[in-house]
């Protein structure tokens, strides 16, 4: 792996966000200089961490997932495959850092939510639908019918759930697909489909399938949850104790020093289940050589260090600036309207378009799509459509905050459109689209973008939930539209070649 090229591409994805925030923070939307300095330091840590993490994914997590999937199918033991799928989905999701952060954010606004039950409900949902996704792959059940049936069931369940909890339920589907879960799930699906040598739609869609489970589980949890009326509580913003008394450089670096040990531990909890599963599979099924084993373990170590640095940068200062910027712009938009509403929406659109390209799982998916398609599906083209969909999602979320309209109808219409597009889109592209919805809503979205929208909705933070759901929804349509365009181009090329042959 060319580490210099990877670092260059990562920097290109993140630096535009850094530049935009710094320009706004020093000009139109003045922010505290210490906040901007922390943001810049956090951005640099994010770039270095993401580069190291991606190197570890390529060396350890992806090869392990593919080998485990292939080995499980080769055993020709369906109960073993399905039970392992559930265990993998449950364990890895319960340890996912994004889920812990999301659970804290939900409990902070809705104190009556039991975080442990909430986390286990999400993890159980992922486990069940990972099981169902692999069963679909093994049985070669059409992916379009699969998604249509379960999304119909999901919206039927949503009809009985408390309306103010719907955005949280849909957000949970995006929060589960974090930097540890996604690479392993995608590689597992590729390993299973490679052994089956089935149709081209079997390689993708497993991540999208796994995203359905948490939404249904949280909806079911909310139905049986006895909660205060309207599920609305105030949010208290955490502050660093004694921050006003600290020196300038202490204000910059102290938050990173405080958060680093936390994410050193959380990243260990995230990667330890994968290492344990690798040890179990190596002993029982894989039987790899010492050289292969050492390479995968080194990959895990790189992924661990990279994820720790990445999360420290994001949470130590990067997302804080997003919240402060969103709050300042949101207050100006509500008070003055006009230009400030336009600036708020424009800033969110730019952030959405750029920041999705820095999501770790987006890198993994786009590279796998290009590899599996033999280069016919270009990574850059996929990123353009994914960025466009994410930008629209952020704009809709901010407009909902400013003009106070219900996201339920947007989600209903959006998913209905994506279901309709399935009839015209090639099956492989449908799988890629639903996978893209999961990977687009990773740690940057659930920290920086969510912090930005929470800041913009400071008067009622509960309204900020739903942005992750929208980010996860828009690629379903955007990527399927790309697939329809791709199909039309291929058909036109085939007709032209046929005319030339005559």
């Amino acid at each position: 792996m060319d580490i210099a090229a990877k670092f260059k591409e990562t920097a290109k994805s993140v630096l535009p966000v850094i530049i935009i925030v710094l320009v706004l923070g020093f000009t139109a939307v003045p922010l505290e200089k210490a906040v901007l300095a922390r943001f810049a330091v956090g951005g640099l840590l994010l770039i270095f961490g993401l580069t190291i993490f991606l190197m570890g994914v390529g060396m350890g997590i992806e090869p392990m997932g593919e080998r485990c999937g292939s080995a499980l199918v080769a055993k020709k033991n369906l109960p073993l495959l399905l039970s392992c799928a559930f265990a993998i989905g449950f364990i890895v999701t319960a340890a996912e850092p994004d889920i812990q952060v999301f659970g804290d954010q939900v409990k902070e606004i809705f104190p009556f939510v039991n975080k442990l039950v909430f986390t286990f409900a999400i993890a159980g949902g992922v486990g069940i639908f990972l099981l169902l996704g692999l069963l679909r792959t093994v049985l070669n059940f059409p992916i379009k019918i699969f998604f249509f049936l379960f999304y119909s069931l999901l919206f039927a369940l949503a009809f009985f759930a408390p309306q103010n909890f719907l955005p949280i339920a849909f957000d949970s589907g995006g929060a589960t697909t974090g930097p540890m879960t996604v690479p392993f799930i995608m590689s597992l699906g590729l390993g299973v489909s490679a052994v089956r040598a089935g149709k081209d739609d079997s390689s993708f869609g497993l991540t999208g399938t796994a995203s359905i489970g948490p939404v249904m589980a949280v909806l079911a949890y909310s139905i049986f949850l006895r909660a205060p009326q309207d599920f609305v509580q105030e949010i208290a913003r955490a502050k660093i104790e004694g921050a006003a008394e600290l020196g300038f450089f202490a204000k910059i670096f102290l938050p990173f020093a405080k958060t680093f040990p936390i994410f050193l531990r959380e990243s260990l909890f995230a990667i330890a289940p994968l290492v344990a599963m690798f040890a179990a599979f190596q002993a029982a099924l894989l039987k790899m050589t010492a050289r292969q084993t050492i390479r995968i373990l080194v990959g895990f170590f790189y992924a661990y260090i990279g994820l720790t640095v990445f999360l420290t940068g994001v949470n130590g200062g990067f997302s804080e600036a997003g919240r402060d910027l969103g709050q300042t712009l949101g207050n100006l938009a509500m008070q003055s309207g006009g230009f400030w509403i336009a600036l708020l929406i424009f800033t969110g659109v730019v952030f959405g378009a750029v920041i999705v390209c820095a999501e770790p799982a987006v890198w993994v998916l786009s590279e796998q799509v290009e590899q599996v398609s033999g280069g016919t599906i270009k990574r850059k083209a996929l990123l353009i459509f994914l960025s466009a969909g994410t930008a629209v999602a952020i704009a809709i979320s901010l407009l909902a905050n400013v003009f106070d309209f219900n996201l339920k109808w947007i989600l209903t219409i959006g998913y209905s459109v994506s279901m309709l597009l399935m009839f015209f889109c090639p099956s492989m592209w449908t799988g890629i689209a639903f996978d893209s919805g999961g990977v687009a809503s990773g740690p940057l979205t659930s920290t920086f973008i969510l912090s930005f929208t929470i800041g913009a909705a400071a008067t009622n933070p509960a309204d900020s939930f739903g942005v992750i759901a929208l980010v996860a929804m828009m690629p379903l349509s955007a990527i399927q539209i790309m697939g329809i365009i791709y199909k039309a181009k291929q058909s036109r090329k085939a007709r032209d070649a046929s005319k030339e042959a005559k």
Side-chain angles (χ1 to χ4, degrees):
M1 179 180 290
D2 189 345
I3 189 69
K6 191 69 67 180
F7 177 83
K8 184 178 179 180
E9 290 189 37
T10 306
K12 284 182 179 179
S13 300
V14 179
L15 284 176
V17 178
I18 296 177
I19 293 171
I20 292 168
V21 173
L22 291 178
V23 169
L24 288 174
F26 279 112
T27 57
V29 191
L31 299 179
E32 186 183 344
K33 289 184 174 58
V35 170
L36 293 173
R38 283 197 296 271
F39 171 76
V41 173
L44 293 176
L45 290 176
L46 187 155
I47 293 171
F48 281 104
L50 180 56
T51 302
I52 298 169
F53 173 78
L54 291 171
M55 184 171 66
V57 167
M59 291 179 62
I61 297 176
E62 286 182 338
M64 173 198 166
E66 291 184 23
R67 289 174 182 270
C68 288
S70 301
L72 284 170
V73 176
K75 293 292 289 184
K76 297 181 179 179
N77 187 330
L78 188 59
L80 175 65
L81 172 65
L82 298 182
S83 58
C84 286
F86 176 80
I88 289 170
F90 186 90
I91 294 171
V92 174
T93 303
E96 179 67 59
D98 283 0
I99 293 300
Q100 303 303 319
V101 173
F102 183 67
D104 288 334
Q105 288 172 329
V106 171
K107 187 169 180 60
E108 191 174 16
I109 295 178
F110 306 116
F112 49 82
V113 170
N114 185 305
K115 182 186 173 183
L116 184 63
V117 176
F118 185 77
T119 302
F120 282 176
I122 291 175
V126 173
I128 291 171
F129 272 81
L130 185 57
L131 179 157
L132 292 173
L134 288 180
L135 182 62
R136 182 205 70 80
T137 303
V138 171
L139 298 179
N140 200 26
F141 188 80
I143 191 170
K144 295 180 181 180
I145 298 176
F146 181 90
F147 281 132
F148 182 81
L149 289 175
F150 280 105
Y151 270 102
S152 298
L153 180 61
L154 186 153
F155 276 95
L157 188 63
F159 180 79
F160 299 98
Q163 297 304 297
N164 287 340
F165 217 69
L166 287 181
I168 293 176
F170 279 93
D171 279 357
S172 69
T176 54
T177 47
M180 281 299 165
T181 309
V182 169
F184 185 79
I185 289 179
M186 286 194 295
S187 301
L188 185 67
L190 287 173
V192 171
S193 61
V195 172
R196 283 185 59 258
K199 297 181 179 180
D200 64 352
D201 68 344
S202 61
S203 298
F204 299 101
L206 192 59
T207 302
T209 300
S211 299
I212 301 173
V215 182
M216 296 185 72
V218 173
L219 286 174
Y221 172 65
S222 69
I223 291 172
F224 294 101
L225 180 67
R226 295 184 178 181
Q229 186 177 6
D230 289 333
F231 285 19
V232 175
Q233 298 288 335
E234 294 295 325
I235 184 172
R237 178 178 172 181
K239 296 184 180 293
I240 302 173
E241 294 183 7
E245 301 174 2
L246 296 174
F248 181 74
F249 287 103
K251 286 183 180 181
I252 296 173
F253 295 106
L254 183 60
F256 296 103
K258 286 186 174 182
T259 55
F260 180 75
I262 295 172
F263 290 108
L264 196 67
R265 182 180 67 251
E266 289 199 3
S267 297
L268 180 62
F269 288 156
I271 203 167
L274 291 179
V275 176
M277 282 189 289
F278 171 68
F281 275 103
Q282 169 67 2
L285 293 174
L286 300 179
K287 310 293 185 183
M288 290 189 297
T289 64
R291 182 183 179 87
Q292 292 172 326
T293 303
I294 291 172
R295 179 177 174 80
I296 286 181
L297 291 176
V298 170
F300 277 129
F301 178 74
Y302 283 146
Y304 169 57
I305 296 299
L307 184 62
T308 301
V309 175
F310 176 88
L311 292 175
T312 300
V314 168
N315 293 275
F318 198 75
S319 62
E320 178 192 10
R323 181 188 60 206
D324 288 356
L325 184 65
Q327 186 172 15
T328 304
L329 279 174
N331 289 336
L332 289 169
M334 296 301 293
Q335 294 169 7
S336 305
F339 168 79
W340 294 105
I341 293 178
L343 183 60
L344 173 67
I345 304 303
F346 176 76
T347 304
V349 166
V350 174
F351 284 157
V354 174
I355 214 163
V356 70
C357 297
E359 289 285 6
V362 169
W363 283 73
V364 176
L365 174 67
S366 60
E367 289 178 348
Q368 285 192 352
V369 168
E370 191 170 56
Q371 179 183 355
V372 171
S373 67
T376 57
I377 303 174
K378 298 300 181 183
R379 177 176 172 273
K380 288 185 178 179
L382 188 70
L383 289 176
I384 289 172
F385 275 81
L386 201 54
S387 295
T390 306
V392 172
I394 304 301
I396 293 172
S397 176
L398 292 171
L399 286 170
N401 288 340
V402 173
F403 296 106
D404 193 27
F405 59 81
N406 197 329
L407 287 178
K408 177 183 70 173
W409 302 112
I410 302 296
L411 291 170
T412 302
I413 294 170
Y415 278 101
S416 298
V417 170
S418 65
M419 295 296 111
L420 180 63
L421 288 172
M422 288 197 302
F423 291 101
F424 307 97
C425 181
S427 295
M428 184 179 74
W429 283 90
T430 296
I432 294 172
F434 279 82
D435 280 352
S436 299
V439 303
S441 49
L444 275 176
T445 303
S446 58
T447 52
F448 183 83
I449 294 296
L450 185 57
S451 295
F452 182 78
T453 55
I454 285 176
T459 55
N460 189 6
D463 289 343
S464 61
F465 286 104
V467 61
I468 300 177
L470 289 171
V471 169
M473 179 192 74
M474 291 304 298
L476 306 188
S477 296
I479 301 301
Q480 286 193 105
I481 290 172
M482 181 181 178
I484 293 170
I485 295 172
Y486 176 85
K487 180 182 177 181
K489 287 183 177 180
Q490 293 297 102
S491 299
R492 187 167 60 250
K493 286 182 180 179
R495 287 195 302 269
D496 292 343
S498 178
K499 289 179 181 179
E500 291 178 4
K502 292 179 179 179

